Amino acid sequence: MSQRTCLSVILAAGEGTRMKSVVPKVLHPIAGLPMVAHVVRAAEAAGAGDQALVIGHGADEMRKATQKFAPKAETFVQDKRLGTAHAVLAARAAISKGYDDILVMFGDTPLIDPGALAAARQKLAEGAAVVVIGFRPPNPAGYGRLIEKGGKLTAIREEKDCTDEEKKIAFCNAGMMAVAGKHALTLLDQVGNNNAKGEYYLTDIVEISGGQGLDVVATEASFENALGINNRAELAEAEGIWQTRRRREAMLSGVTLIAPETVFFSHDTEIGADTVVEPNVWFGPGVKIATGAKIHAFSHIEGATIASNCDVGPFARLRPGADLRQKAKVGNFCEVKQATLEEGAKVNHLTYIGDARVGAGANIGAGTITCNYDGYSKFFTDIGEGAFVGSNSSLVAPVAIGKGGYIASGSVITESVPDDALAFGRARQRTLPGKGKELRERFASAAAAKKASG
Ligand code: UD1
Ligand code: CA
């Protein structure tokens, strides 16, 4: 099959009014990736080398987004929504380039399993002209029914055009189809719009093919695969199914999730074996975690790279550009952004490290802040290997602390500190014997005098 060429035509011209959104429906994300991008990925995984995206509503936004998630895809605008066959024909220029297989998919069906698509292509390779992916939804209302005669698929009837008898059929059209490229345009051009909705139905090519003695086959996919998203409740349902699949995959690959249902992955999260993730952890896009790391409860991590045996959280926030090398540690209520923590560096409590390097083995005391921003520009803080930054220090960037530098607690460091130097950036302490008692007596008599005068 690998020698067969394949184009996927992904229909995404619909408005998606039920999402009640200014954002086109298919750009709403599942696991941080637009749902239509999931469809593109599935098509690619099933061997579709080229993608044609049929857009309409929100075309400019769609084009811009497509550039990001599928830069090679060609977009085609369907000006008027005259039905699914009409929509496929918007990509006529792509189809007519000549492909062995055409996969027609919907942009709002993000959970489709590439295996189901590959199985449909296999049927084309075996000689079928049209392959319909069917499924058995718990409630078939609203779906096209697969009409079979003598074990052969003869037609797909849309709900609105079904007889009462046909409505009882449980086997439905999931929406995805594989069509032999050499027949695709001829078949699509024969579709008319004589039906209850007055639309050009893609599904009519089943009956047309049968009438011409071409082979039509139905395959079956699970309900989850074909879940179409129309509103935000279904969006959340799809997200839930996606997360459940991903958690299982993570666990089977050697990751411990203590409470898997509370851990949320992104489409691109990479996580190594023997890493333990405690409850309530969120992974935004761009996270890579090596083996044997510990991610403690309630951590929020995005765009971060975490090397093996690092320790993160609880309640840590790692933002884009956080780069933790082996055995680095980021403890509770710490935020790290665009900063490298070299091997074994420790940032344990209540700290902000942004635009910085923390050298190997350095220890950053509680409440330390890298003051990286002056309201206009960002500046870099460089902390050398083995440095010690005392608690509650402010490091005003640009500034560097040399190897083994030692910063006294409560310092405001505005000038660079050489290797092995000790720096105080605070007022010297004064201790006045007996003054505490004297002060207390003064305040007490002042308060008594005030009370007496009413
Ligand atoms: C379609 C199928 C139905 C199947 C169901 C599965 C047809 C005629 N019907 O019905 O058999 O059970 O999906 O969910 O194909 N679109 C366009 N341009 C158009 C019309 C539609 O781009 O002119 C896109 C929509 O944005 C959507 C997809 O095609 O992504 C499906 O269209 P929709 O109107 O939702 O079809 P259904 O009535 O759900
Ligand atoms: Ca639909």
Side-chain angles (χ1 to χ4, degrees):
M1 193 173 78
S2 54
Q3 296 95 316
R4 293 175 66 89
T5 58
C6 180
L7 168 76
S8 76
V9 179
I10 297 167
L11 307 189
E15 210 170 331
T17 29
R18 281 173 285 170
M19 293 298 280
K20 302 212 168 34
S21 177
V22 293
V23 178
K25 174 167 83 173
V26 297
L27 293 185
H28 283 261
I30 303 283
L33 186 73
M35 60 174 106
V36 62
H38 287 267
V39 178
V40 171
R41 303 248 166 121
E44 284 169 345
D50 292 324
Q51 327 290 340
L53 223 70
V54 178
I55 59 176
H57 191 77
D60 288 341
E61 220 179 325
M62 284 293 298
R63 265 196 217 95
K64 221 186 271 163
T66 308
Q67 272 304 312
K68 273 197 219 149
F69 65 75
K72 277 173 41 212
E74 241 187 301
T75 50
F76 296 90
V77 175
Q78 184 197 21
D79 286 325
K80 279 190 206 142
R81 289 195 66 214
L82 300 181
T84 44
H86 181 261
V88 178
L89 281 171
R92 183 188 291 275
I95 299 169
S96 62
K97 283 182 192 162
Y99 291 88
D100 296 316
D101 302 347
I102 308 289
L103 277 175
V104 180
M105 300 162 77
F106 294 165
D108 63 358
T109 311
L111 299 178
I112 180 67
D113 166 26
L117 300 170
R121 290 192 61 203
Q122 180 57 35
K123 294 284 179 199
L124 292 183
E126 291 165 12
V130 175
V131 185
V132 176
I133 301 181
F135 73 135
R136 293 173 199 276
N139 174 12
Y143 292 107
R145 307 297 205 283
L146 302 193
I147 315 279
E148 291 172 299
K149 271 197 196 106
K152 272 207 160 283
L153 180 64
T154 56
I156 301 177
R157 195 92 69 231
E158 291 308 298
E159 164 111 355
K160 282 194 173 157
D161 301 299
C162 278
T163 62
D164 287 345
E165 207 49 40
E166 287 168 340
K167 277 187 189 152
K168 290 182 193 151
I169 298 171
F171 198 24
C172 295
N173 175 22
M176 282 118 336
M177 245 187 229
V179 185
K182 62 181 173 203
H183 298 303
L185 289 176
T186 336
L187 291 171
L188 287 163
D189 280 330
Q190 292 173 67
V191 173
N193 64 350
N194 183 19
N195 52 52
K197 272 169 102 182
E199 287 189 359
Y200 295 86
Y201 287 161
L202 167 67
T203 45
D204 281 0
I205 68 170
V206 168
E207 215 164 341
I208 295 168
S209 306
Q212 296 172 8
L214 296 171
D215 204 13
V216 184
V217 183
T219 59
E220 186 168 344
S222 72
F223 172 60
E224 283 186 355
N225 269 292
L227 186 71
I229 289 159
N230 296 304
N231 57 45
R232 306 217 192 206
E234 286 164 353
L235 182 71
E237 195 183 338
E239 177 81 36
I241 294 169
W242 190 96
Q243 292 293 345
T244 305
R245 285 182 184 174
R246 184 65 187 89
R247 289 166 188 146
R248 191 175 158 74
E249 202 180 285
M251 290 186 283
L252 294 184
S253 72
V255 178
T256 294
L257 304 180
I258 294 171
E261 66 284 1
T262 67
V263 174
F264 293 84
F265 291 101
S266 266
H267 62 100
D268 59 354
T269 308
E270 292 175 24
I271 183 162
D274 283 326
T275 283
V276 175
V277 183
E278 289 183 358
N280 297 300
V281 171
W282 171 269
F283 295 110
V287 174
K288 286 196 175 90
I289 303 177
T291 54
K294 273 215 169 61
I295 312 295
H296 297 282
F298 297 100
S299 292
H300 189 285
I301 301 173
E302 60 184 321
T305 305
I306 300 173
S308 56
N309 303 311
C310 284
D311 206 283
V312 174
F315 297 98
R317 178 164 185 215
L318 301 185
R319 291 172 52 204
D323 181 1
L324 278 52
R325 306 283 165 80
Q326 296 216 6
K327 293 189 182 168
K329 190 164 188 295
V330 176
N332 45 274
F333 306 105
C334 293
E335 175 178 339
V336 177
K337 183 219 73 169
Q338 203 61 52
T340 303
L341 270 56
E342 292 178 347
E343 193 168 337
K346 284 190 201 137
V347 180
N348 275 338
H349 336 264
L350 303 153
T351 287
Y352 173 60
I353 300 291
D355 302 306
R357 175 187 76 103
V358 180
N363 191 311
I364 308 298
T368 298
I369 305 289
T370 52
C371 309
N372 59 329
Y373 186 50
D374 62 6
Y376 299 92
S377 312
K378 302 277 172 63
F379 301 95
F380 194 76
T381 300
D382 191 70
I383 301 170
E385 290 77 356
F388 182 95
V389 177
S391 296
N392 203 31
S393 293
S394 300
L395 310 176
V396 183
V399 75
I401 295 163
K403 274 187 210 170
Y406 203 106
I407 307 300
S409 297
S411 289
V412 176
I413 299 295
T414 53
E415 289 162 22
S416 290
V417 176
D419 291 359
D420 294 320
L422 168 63
F424 289 85
R426 56 167 151 92
R428 178 176 282 279
Q429 178 173 330
R430 282 208 305 159
T431 307
L432 310 176
K435 267 284 179 194
K437 189 164 176 241
E438 194 187 305
L439 201 69
R440 218 179 273 124
E441 284 162 1
R442 210 171 76 209
F443 290 163
S445 59
K450 198 176 171 204
K451 206 173 174 190
S453 73

